[in-house]
Amino acid sequence: MIKTTVLSLRPPLDEAIKPSELIQITGHQQLTLNARRAITILWHQAHRQGIEEGKDYIIELSDLRPDGHKGSEMVEEAILSLMQTVLTVKLPGNQTRRVQFLGGNDMDDPSRPSGVLTYSFDKRLVEILRDSSIWGRIALPILMAFSSKYAVTLYENASQWSNLSHKFTQEFSLDEFRSLLGVEDGKYSAFGALNKHVLKPAVDEINALAPFNISLVPRKTGKRVTSIQIGWWRKTDEELKEAWAEAQRPKVGRRARISGKVEHISPMPSIGSTVRRERVLRRNAPETSLLEDS
């Protein structure tokens, strides 16, 4: 049987086919929302132009600007941070490889309303991605609609899992989940703060915009939350239409619109109701789980 690799696929204009090795990275704690999105956008444009070792790729600066921003200050900030950030990529056999995502690059005068960025990738990163055969499909309009950097990272990870036909849940230790989301060391150390500022906003945005829903269920050892179980399931046709419509609406007022929907969603049972919680997740979770404050 011939293995399908990511590089053998031709991505459509508005959907990135992102290798799992680029999704399941660590070391991205300091990256901003715009920088995290830039990883996917830069990869997507390079993928469409053909990935080769030592090749330069070209992207219009406007493709990297957040909506409503005409200047390139945020683009410059994202590019510099990607050049300075060392990403840790998982390899087979429990090995890791550390790479800079972005190599040398040339940018047109950022004061110009238009222009291009010419960029390259570390050759060791290209070596990793050449045989990559697991990926997530990242809808670029959805990616650009997020306002939380943690929602971007969780959405991209869940985009991999949502394609699995035999698995609908996954569990991580709390430390693993913090690392997966790229939560800064020492920030939101109490679970209640992590839940309020990271988890709930990310889940709400994903469930409002993505083609799938997710639920996060905290698990406790004694009184302390020690792991997170994530469940995912595909939206109904009606939910897909609403999610797509929301992605087209202005970001202004989105939080209020999302909050209005959340009021109509029944929360998952409490932590103590273990049996029912497991049953709900196993039948592919017909209702969204909102984490309880802890």
Side-chain angles (χ1 to χ4, degrees):
M1 183 176 179
I2 300 176
K3 179 176 71 172
T4 301
T5 64
V6 174
L7 297 190
S8 68
L9 301 174
R10 176 69 174 172
L13 184 62
D14 61 352
E15 183 182 72
I17 301 175
K18 189 172 181 180
S20 64
E21 291 86 352
L22 277 184
I23 293 175
Q24 298 173 350
I25 57 173
T26 57
H28 58 307
Q29 289 89 342
Q30 301 302 320
L31 293 181
T32 63
L33 167 65
N34 205 40
R36 294 189 190 200
R37 288 192 297 215
I39 291 178
T40 299
I41 296 167
L42 290 168
W43 158 257
H44 175 61
Q45 289 296 333
H47 191 186
R48 287 180 57 82
Q49 293 168 39
I51 301 294
E52 296 176 16
E53 185 177 319
K55 183 175 180 176
D56 282 342
Y57 311 99
I58 296 176
I59 185 172
E60 294 184 8
L61 294 179
S62 59
D63 290 338
L64 292 167
R65 293 188 188 109
D67 293 342
H69 290 263
K70 296 182 179 180
S72 295
E73 296 83 1
M74 294 182 72
V75 175
E76 286 190 281
E77 178 186 343
I79 295 305
L80 285 173
S81 64
L82 290 178
M83 293 180 69
Q84 296 167 359
T85 300
V86 176
L87 304 178
T88 302
V89 182
K90 296 179 181 179
L91 298 176
N94 293 322
Q95 290 182 311
T96 59
R97 176 170 291 179
R98 293 172 180 84
V99 299
Q100 288 175 284
F101 173 73
L102 195 60
N105 57 84
D106 297 314
M107 179 185 287
D108 284 348
D109 182 351
S111 64
R112 293 174 53 190
S114 62
V116 299
L117 174 76
T118 303
Y119 60 101
S120 60
F121 293 146
D122 187 318
K123 69 176 184 179
R124 289 174 176 79
L125 181 61
V126 175
E127 288 174 5
I128 295 170
L129 302 180
R130 184 173 288 120
D131 295 324
S132 179
S133 59
I134 302 175
W135 61 85
R137 294 184 178 274
I138 314 299
L140 298 187
I142 294 174
L143 181 75
M144 298 304 291
F146 287 123
S147 62
S148 162
K149 65 181 184 179
Y150 305 114
V152 165
T153 301
L154 184 56
Y155 163 69
E156 292 197 344
N157 276 276
S159 71
Q160 273 189 111
W161 306 326
S162 64
N163 289 326
L164 300 175
S165 59
H166 60 286
K167 189 174 183 179
F168 303 100
T169 66
Q170 190 154 332
E171 187 165 343
F172 298 89
S173 72
L174 188 57
D175 287 342
E176 288 173 335
F177 201 62
R178 286 177 60 93
S179 179
L180 179 145
L181 292 183
V183 179
E184 299 88 330
D185 293 339
K187 193 170 186 179
Y188 308 128
S189 55
F191 180 75
L194 180 73
N195 188 27
K196 178 180 179 181
H197 297 290
V198 176
L199 305 184
K200 279 188 173 182
V203 169
D204 287 349
E205 279 204 310
I206 290 170
N207 286 347
L209 297 166
F212 49 81
N213 292 321
I214 65 170
S215 65
L216 299 182
V217 178
R219 290 181 173 276
K220 289 185 176 181
T221 301
K223 294 183 178 181
R224 182 170 171 266
V225 175
T226 54
S227 65
I228 298 288
Q229 185 179 56
I230 180 171
W232 56 88
W233 62 100
R234 183 172 173 79
K235 280 182 165 68
T236 64
D237 288 345
E238 192 61 34
E239 288 174 327
L240 285 170
K241 291 178 183 177
E242 177 54 30
W244 181 252
E246 182 58 47
Q248 311 309 307
R249 297 179 185 125
K251 291 182 182 178
V252 176
R254 176 166 292 149
R255 188 177 297 275
R257 292 193 298 271
I258 291 175
S259 298
K261 292 177 185 177
V262 169
E263 292 176 356
H264 302 290
I265 298 175
S266 301
M268 290 287 286
S270 66
I271 298 298
S273 305
T274 305
V275 174
R276 187 181 170 199
R277 180 189 62 211
E278 295 290 349
R279 189 182 304 126
V280 170
L281 286 174
R282 279 201 302 271
R283 69 170 178 254
N284 209 7
E287 57 184 354
T288 299
S289 168
L290 297 181
L291 291 174
E292 299 178 350
D293 289 323
S294 180

